[in-house]
Amino acid sequence: MTPEEFRRYGRQVVDWIADYQEKIESYPVLSRARPGEVLASLPAHPPERGEGFEAVLADLDRVVMPGITHWQHPGFFAYFPANASGPAILGDLLSAGLGVQGMLWATSPACTELETRTIDWLAELLDLPARFRGDGAGGGVIQDSASGAALVAILAALHRADGGTAGREGITRRHTLYISSQTHSSLEKAAKVAGIGSANVRVVDSGPGTLAMAPAHLDALLAEDAAAGAVPVLVCATVGTTSTTAVDPVPEIGEVCARHGVWLHVDAAYAGVAAVCPELRWVNDGLDGHVDSYSTNPHKWLLTNFDCNALWVADRAPLVGALSILPEYLRNQATSSGEVIDYRDWQISLGRRFRALKLWSVIRWYGAEGLREHVRTGVRLARDLASWVAADPGFELLEHPPFGLVCFRPRWDGLPDGEADAATMRLMERLNASGDLYLTHTKAGGRVLLRMAIGAPATGDAHVAAAWRRIREEAAEQAAERADPGR
Ligand SMILES: *Cc1c(COP(=O)(O)O)cnc(C)c1O
């Protein structure tokens, strides 16, 4: 493709994306494709001769779009948001356009140094403690995902726990990891990948009547395991759990970890970015104590297209110790001088994309002010919804921290628990089939709840109000059908 052809098709692609943004509400939020449908519309064999790009664009509309679930639709309330934004899309396009691979400082100094500056900017925007900034012993790095960040943190913690023995000789002793029942599944997966094994993942109780990790039980488990000869490696505390945005008591957990000399990783994948707002900075409570690593996802609620996770460590030495390897073909003067960062030593893979460009674009376009406004809108819309749910005697609301997620369900008066859960699931399916909105569910306190996560940039007051109207109507309709099956 010549630059001239690129210019022509590039304009078409950008127009296509802008058109998509304008008409996104005309699509059903949740794709209606059946399993295998997209696959069946695609040729089984690749073309022998190149085709024009028009053919690709035509298939985008014909084949791809019916199989798309519209994450940027204002009625998308499932999982957590995965915000996209104009500046992030353009930043990503520029990254693709430059086509650099930033494994070493020397392979594109700007790729490394722009990342260092941008991640420090983000630390400042979130008001993270100074020790996570790159000018001290710590530092930040962009990872692909919170899952990847957790794995990297575990490998650094393993390195610190046994002075690099595991990296050299393999894991020879029993190592243990501590989570709660609400911790994201990526921690158990990372324990499997790191060779710790899921059998050595200990589940700490939640405090009575809460979904938050109980520090006293953590203390007891750590003591018990150490007495039995195990090496406790890492504790993961969560700020804003995936299920209900519950918050673990990080300050107390930090004290326990300090006493036992165990690494504390704080997973704030969704909620951490809320700290752009001073009134939500309490999400950082405890980070100035004994926290070794902290991770949050600008790719969820902070307007930066997937993938973009930010991981900070208080001390980069065990991280680099765990992950650096220097084969002859990567030797270079800049690396030997010790004056530069090679981010390949901060992640699993060697190669890395220029992800900082999109985060940098986002921060520059919105400014601290714009980022705060976006988070505040989500918080306000969720608060409105929660107040409507609480005021409706037909619904029950789960108490929740003031982020963008609201968990609730109809009371289904008179139905035993199991049937009420089935009715809630049925309601969710009906709502999702409507095409107007998309919700997911969770289980908390022994019952199934609908999860409505607000925070897509396109979602406004009218969308949340319409979704709530729809939920009430559909629940009433379902209750009426149950009362009179012949309807
Ligand atoms: C979403 C989420 C994750 C996983 O995020 P990825 O970036 O997709 O790996 C991990 N932890 C929590 C608390 C989350 O909400």
Side-chain angles (χ1 to χ4, degrees):
M1 193 178 276
T2 64
E4 217 24 70
E5 287 168 323
F6 181 79
R7 206 184 301 281
R8 185 160 82 242
Y9 294 123
R11 285 186 176 135
Q12 286 178 27
V13 167
V14 170
D15 280 342
W16 188 96
I17 296 171
D19 288 346
Y20 173 61
Q21 292 172 340
E22 281 175 349
K23 64 177 187 216
I24 192 163
E25 287 191 57
S26 66
Y27 292 99
V29 190
L30 179 63
S31 168
R32 291 176 173 152
R34 287 182 305 277
E37 208 172 307
V38 175
L39 191 61
S41 350
L42 294 165
H45 305 288
E48 178 60 29
R49 304 187 56 194
E51 305 174 54
F53 205 76
E54 288 87 357
V56 173
L57 287 173
D59 280 354
L60 197 60
D61 289 319
R62 191 179 62 85
V63 181
V64 178
M65 291 313 279
I68 291 293
T69 288
H70 301 277
W71 283 69
Q72 307 310 318
H73 192 293
F76 184 98
F77 304 112
Y79 309 104
F80 281 132
N83 287 178
S85 70
I89 298 167
L90 294 175
D92 230 1
L93 182 59
L94 289 169
S95 166
L98 289 171
V100 305
Q101 207 273 54
M103 58 187 176
L104 301 168
W105 178 88
T107 60
S108 264
C111 186
T112 293
E113 294 187 13
L114 187 79
E115 180 161 334
T116 305
R117 180 62 78 218
T118 304
I119 206 86
D120 269 355
W121 275 9
L122 185 60
E124 183 178 323
L125 287 167
L126 302 181
D127 197 27
L128 298 185
R131 61 207 184 84
F132 289 120
R133 312 277 170 91
D135 51 7
V141 58
I142 298 179
Q143 303 276 340
D144 55 353
S145 64
S147 310
L151 176 57
V152 160
I154 289 173
L155 296 171
L158 259 175
H159 184 88
R160 191 178 77 180
D162 65 10
T165 315
R168 256 190 329 273
E169 291 156 29
I171 293 183
T172 49
R173 298 171 65 188
R174 180 171 167 244
H175 288 72
T176 47
L177 196 119
Y178 302 80
I179 63 172
S180 83
S181 64
Q182 303 299 305
T183 303
H184 193 265
S185 55
S186 53
L187 269 290
E188 184 181 344
K189 189 171 182 175
K192 289 169 75 167
V193 175
I196 290 172
S198 42
N200 294 314
V201 176
R202 306 279 266 153
V203 181
V204 182
D205 290 346
S206 297
T210 78
L211 294 168
M213 184 184 279
H217 187 231
L218 172 65
D219 196 18
L221 281 182
L222 284 165
E224 185 184 307
D225 290 343
V231 182
V233 171
L234 176 142
V235 174
C236 177
T238 309
V239 174
T241 59
T242 314
S243 173
T244 65
T245 65
V247 176
D248 287 338
V250 175
E252 292 80 2
I253 293 171
E255 282 167 26
V256 173
C257 290
R259 231 176 9 257
H260 292 270
V262 59
W263 186 289
L264 176 55
H265 176 68
V266 176
D267 176 6
Y270 162 70
V273 301
V276 292
C277 302
E279 70 275 20
L280 291 168
R281 294 248 160 99
W282 57 265
V283 300
N284 294 341
D285 281 358
L287 292 185
D288 50 358
H290 305 279
V291 173
D292 296 288
S293 51
Y294 178 71
S295 123
T296 187
N297 278 343
H299 72 221
K300 276 182 171 161
W301 199 8
L302 206 66
L303 298 161
T304 309
N305 284 54
F306 193 87
D307 51 352
C308 184
N309 163 272
L311 170 70
W312 285 275
V313 289
D315 180 5
R316 57 185 179 267
L319 175 66
V320 173
L323 298 176
S324 95
I325 274 224
L326 187 58
E328 185 54 38
Y329 50 80
L330 292 180
R331 279 186 202 280
N332 68 89
Q333 225 171 23
T335 297
S336 316
S337 78
E339 286 174 45
V340 302
I341 296 175
D342 291 325
Y343 279 124
R344 73 190 178 103
D345 296 336
W346 296 53
Q347 63 176 23
I348 304 295
S349 58
L350 169 63
R352 61 198 326 265
R353 311 200 296 122
F354 197 169
R355 291 193 191 90
L357 266 179
K358 65 185 166 188
L359 183 58
W360 187 58
S361 306
V362 164
I363 295 174
R364 294 190 63 179
W365 174 263
Y366 290 98
E369 202 177 61
L371 298 175
R372 283 196 292 268
E373 188 187 316
H374 171 62
V375 168
R376 281 180 184 145
T377 301
V379 168
R380 180 176 58 76
L381 294 175
R383 197 173 51 220
D384 288 350
L385 172 69
S387 73
W388 302 332
V389 175
D392 189 322
F395 283 80
E396 76 178 76
L397 172 74
L398 185 80
E399 284 293 319
H400 67 104
F403 306 126
L405 177 72
V406 184
C407 300
F408 59 97
R409 68 161 193 174
R411 289 190 191 277
W412 304 118
D413 277 333
L415 277 190
D417 278 354
E419 283 178 50
D421 284 351
T424 303
M425 292 302 290
R426 177 81 197 103
L427 172 63
M428 183 181 77
E429 283 156 20
R430 293 169 67 126
L431 289 165
N432 292 347
S434 76
D436 297 338
L437 72 170
Y438 179 25
L439 304 173
T440 48
H441 74 285
T442 190
K443 203 159 189 179
R447 63 213 190 288
V448 170
L449 298 167
L450 300 174
R451 280 174 88 264
M452 186 156 155
I454 300 169
T459 304
D461 295 82
H463 302 105
V464 177
W468 172 236
R469 204 160 45 238
R470 186 82 201 211
I471 293 165
R472 291 178 68 184
E473 283 168 9
E474 205 70 40
E477 175 74 18
Q478 194 176 320
E481 284 171 16
R482 201 179 55 244
D484 176 8
R487 251 164 71 98

